[in-house]
Amino acid sequence: MDVFAGCTMSVKMWELTVSEKFNKLFSELEYCKKAKQIQKIKEMNRLIEEMNSETLDSVFTTDLFNEISRMIEEKKLNWNNAFLLLKCIGNCSLLNNCYDFEFLHSSLLERFEELIFEEYKKIEEKNKMVFVNICECYLLFYNEVPHQLLSTCVSCLLIIALNKEETEEVQKKVEMALLTLSCIIEDFNIEKRLYFPDIKEIIEYHQKFHNLTQIAYQSAWEFLIKRRRNEDSLEEVIVNELHFAREATKEVEELAKCANWKRKGKMKMGKEGIVISRWLKTLGKFLDLCKSWDDECDELIHCLVSRFREANDNYGEINNVNMYFFIQAVRRRDKAIDAFLKNGAIEAVLEKVVQLNAKLRIVDNSLRMLKILLFGLKSEMEKENDEVKRKEKKRVVREKMEEEGFEDCVYGYLHCWIKDKYFSYSFVLNVEDYFFNL
């Protein structure tokens, strides 16, 4: 009888969804002893790694964070075990572009703020790892660490990130430290002496020995690019010494070889897609903040136009949001516009617009991209002194648009948008913008 009961339980557990399995384990957590609790948290973390952004949103509610806070207060969950769970939640939420605002409304945020100040006061007296764990959890959920703690937090995380051992355990710690550093917002002014020698060493060492994970390397660059906003002298190093454009191109190309671009159906974005998505956001910041331009930047544009062509609807984050912001970042830069045109950006966008099965959101963002490109082209041609060259550019672009049946397509989408009450007033109703701005 017991055997059959055990089989029944196994079948029931197998039939549960990922979120149901997680909630079941979470409900049992406070009744376990420490060793069993760690085991359950590891099982929960494995389930978290399987979740997509929708599931993460549905599971990690204010109530759940309040429950964690209650268990800590009642000493049914110690801080070390809480860190183990929370870091996985924060890590997966961040990589899935799922920003957990539920955490900000929970009592756990206040409890973290009390703890972070408490540990900060005694940081010189003890091991800094407790403070590092708090900083990692705090920044993964809430990227505005208190200013008075910022320098100490950055220094502690860089100590972890500088570890060059290549064991799996150390690599995970390094990745988490760099991912956390990448969360610190651009507006936070950190003294250059506190981070620059270390982050430069981390990037250069990886370029030579390839010791970092893909996410760790991208995160190191994200942290450095963000610092450019408050430190003009970084541009020379970023562009000419560390060769960001070259490195980003190489990384995105390698990731694209592994990404499954042809898959069908709505699925969780794979690891390669997640890292490509993060690189594209960093590239947008780079073009917004750094004004230098060289042949490596031209290669970068070629790479990104190619990725846009390859990505299908399943990689909407790559197709829509990131490419849109990328083009926005370069819309006033003549050299970037030239690079986009030379590498077939207009053709790539038109291909998306004329797809019969394209989603309206994809078309909307594609039209936005096209408008930015055409406005940039118009501005560039106004500066072009050679009338023959100017007319030739107009002819080539206009012929391409007519060849693809673009005008009829836009008017067709205008009808769909009005019928479905889904359209962008500034982009669809002003259809003439796409034809007369040249």
Side-chain angles (χ1 to χ4, degrees), residues 308 312-314 316 319-320 352-353 355 357-367 369 417 422:
F308 182 76
N312 63 12
D313 293 356
N314 293 304
N319 269 349
N320 302 322
K352 287 292 173 192
V353 174
Q355 282 181 359
N357 62 343
K359 296 178 182 177
L360 290 182
R361 179 169 173 262
I362 292 175
V363 175
D364 188 37
N365 278 319
S366 295
L367 290 174
M369 294 180 200
W417 258 295
Y422 176 88

Side-chain angles (χ1 to χ4, degrees), residues 375-386:
F375 279 172
L377 180 59
K378 179 187 177 186
S379 173
E380 181 192 2
M381 287 190 296
E382 286 171 352
K383 298 172 186 175
E384 175 63 68
N385 294 322
D386 189 329

Side-chain angles (χ1 to χ4, degrees), residues 123 128-129 131-132 135 150-161 177 181:
I123 194 167
K128 294 182 179 180
M129 275 310 299
F131 187 73
V132 168
C135 288
L150 188 60
S151 297
T152 306
C153 184
V154 169
S155 298
C156 289
L157 289 168
L158 283 170
I159 289 171
I160 304 298
L181 284 166

